[in-house]
Amino acid sequence: MTDEVILDVRDLRTYFHTDAGVVKAVDGVTFKLNKGETLGIAGESGSGKSVTNLSIMDLVPNPPGKIEHGEVLFHGEDILKMTDRRKREIRGNKISMIFQDPMTSLNPFLRISTQMIETLQLHQHLNKSDAKAKAVEMLKAAGIPAAEQRIDDYPHQFSGGMRQRVMIAMGLSCNPEVLIADEPTSALDVTIQAQILDLMKDLTARLGTSVIIITHSLGVVAGMCNTVVIMYAGRIVERGMTEEIFKDPKHPYTVGLIKSVPRLDRRVEDRLFSIPGQPPNVIDLPPCCPFYPRCNKAKEICKKMYPPVHTWPSGHSTSCWLYEQEQAGSFTSEKAEKNETGGNE
């Protein structure tokens, strides 16, 4: 991993306008991806992980979705302001994506060869023969046995794990600089999950690809990622180096996620921790900390204002009032003064 920034996401806001109200699926997300880095984006379902990465590729369906604000700088060029032609040059070529659920990501009516060769001809400008040879080479690298014969099979002739290997081969066939993997091990059994993750780690390291992994599994984050971003209700609540996050989590939500992971050093009779309540409805959220109804350390200010970002010298940061004592104290004093004078909040 180097300090060269490949992808710079700044204040990204993606909203969905529905009859029930405005769904703020992504609400002010900012992060950077360096060359050779593997970044994990973790959180519960509905936290905004997948929409963030669809927004990076400018693939949010409009309507009802719309990228309201922000920049996605790829080598300093804003993807969101590119022409459609320029975006097509980047998608699948410079930035590639493995979509969630290998069972439905491939076109069931087309042979694997057709789906892989089309991408290589479009982006790498290869003739059909050379494109097929390159596709076979990638299938072999992804661990598909008898790749020369299997490349002409249809998706239904592959198991779930083999389909995911095909998706990885397709995603890396153009040697992208950035690979976005959305739940790359979903719908796969544990043994196959481990094989797929090892395969991704090996291939991306060999090709020098930067990776963004979207997952709800902190086990995947621990085994794959250099850095991690924790999302909740469309916002980043904590970020830092993976080792530091696991060793010393700061946000109560991150603490809850880590405590809910089964551990071999726990006694069998100990109950697995569960974060109480449910994720909030992100339609017209009030301007406060959305986690406070589920938080065992919530303060009065948490119900009134969204916390600012607190950053430590190591670069570890979180958005939580626990680390903004001065402002929280000021708020408490102000509230007490209003109560004494009969003022309304």
Side-chain angles (χ1 to χ4, degrees):
M1 186 177 71
T2 69
D3 292 332
E4 180 187 347
V5 177
I6 288 185
L7 196 67
D8 187 0
V9 179
R10 300 179 180 178
D11 197 23
L12 186 62
R13 300 175 188 270
T14 303
Y15 300 166
F16 290 82
H17 298 269
T18 70
D19 293 338
V22 178
V23 178
K24 296 182 178 181
V26 177
D27 196 17
V29 166
T30 298
F31 65 85
K32 294 180 180 180
L33 179 70
N34 294 337
K35 186 174 182 179
E37 178 183 11
T38 298
L39 169 71
I41 300 181
E44 293 171 294
S45 295
S47 60
K49 307 184 299 295
S50 294
V51 176
T52 295
N53 288 282
L54 286 173
S55 301
I56 288 172
M57 302 279 278
D58 200 11
L59 291 173
V60 176
N62 183 7
K66 184 180 179 183
I67 300 175
E68 302 281 352
H69 186 265
E71 296 176 305
V72 179
L73 303 178
F74 178 64
H75 288 301
E77 187 179 4
D78 191 355
I79 294 176
L80 304 181
K81 294 180 181 177
M82 291 178 182
T83 63
D84 289 342
R85 180 176 180 178
R86 177 66 178 140
K87 288 175 187 175
R88 284 194 296 269
E89 291 174 357
I90 289 179
R91 292 178 188 144
N93 188 26
K94 299 295 184 181
I95 303 177
S96 191
M97 189 166 185
I98 301 173
F99 293 94
Q100 194 171 354
D101 190 0
M103 301 299 182
T104 59
S105 296
L106 294 165
N107 190 325
F109 297 104
L110 298 178
R111 298 178 189 273
I112 298 299
S113 56
T114 303
Q115 300 184 57
M116 293 192 71
I117 289 171
E118 180 184 39
T119 301
L120 288 163
Q121 286 183 303
L122 176 65
H123 293 303
Q124 299 293 299
H125 308 294
L126 301 175
N127 60 43
K128 190 170 183 179
S129 175
D130 289 343
K132 186 167 184 178
K134 173 71 173 179
V136 169
E137 178 189 334
M138 291 307 301
L139 289 177
K140 286 181 178 178
I144 302 289
E148 294 88 346
Q149 291 77 43
R150 305 265 0 230
I151 193 171
D152 289 317
D153 287 347
Y154 288 93
H156 73 268
Q157 295 175 275
F158 290 80
S159 66
M162 286 297 172
R163 286 189 221 185
Q164 193 63 296
R165 289 174 185 269
V166 171
M167 291 297 300
I168 292 172
M170 289 179 66
L172 294 173
S173 61
C174 294
N175 298 335
E177 294 184 58
V178 177
L179 176 68
I180 299 173
D182 189 353
E183 300 282 7
T185 57
S186 63
L188 303 177
D189 64 62
V190 177
T191 305
I192 302 301
Q193 283 183 22
Q195 293 175 7
I196 294 298
L197 292 174
D198 286 342
L199 171 65
M200 283 185 59
K201 184 183 288 188
D202 177 60
L203 286 178
T204 54
R206 208 185 310 169
L207 297 171
T209 307
S210 303
V211 184
I212 298 176
I213 294 183
I214 307 165
T215 182
H216 61 265
S217 171
L218 291 182
V220 171
V221 171
M224 291 286 293
C225 302
N226 309 113
T227 54
V228 60
V229 163
I230 305 295
M231 288 191 68
Y232 188 79
R235 299 191 184 192
I236 293 175
V237 296
E238 187 164 0
R239 81 183 79 201
M241 301 299 292
T242 302
E243 184 177 347
E244 190 172 355
I245 293 279
F246 276 82
K247 184 179 179 180
D248 185 22
K250 300 293 187 182
H251 198 283
Y253 177 59
T254 309
V255 172
L257 290 178
I258 293 175
K259 286 173 65 177
S260 65
V261 176
R263 294 176 50 145
L264 293 176
D265 58 353
R266 276 192 184 141
R267 296 181 303 171
V268 177
E269 58 270 22
D270 288 346
R271 289 181 61 85
L272 198 61
F273 180 80
S274 175
I275 300 174
Q278 298 292 328
N281 184 344
V282 292
I283 295 178
D284 300 324
L285 274 173
C288 63
C289 176
F291 187 65
Y292 89 83
R294 309 173 69 187
C295 182
N296 60 358
K297 295 184 178 181
K299 303 173 178 290
E300 189 64 29
I301 192 173
C302 302
K303 306 175 186 179
K304 305 294 182 182
M305 298 169 61
Y306 194 86
V309 177
H310 185 96
T311 304
W312 285 264
S314 64
H316 188 167
S317 65
T318 187
S319 294
C320 183
W321 283 114
L322 290 174
Y323 308 101
E324 299 295 332
Q325 299 295 336
E326 187 175 320
Q327 292 187 50
S330 170
F331 178 86
T332 304
S333 300
E334 181 183 343
K335 181 186 174 188
E337 184 179 337
K338 284 184 177 179
N339 287 340
E340 287 175 7
T341 58
N344 296 322
E345 290 184 42

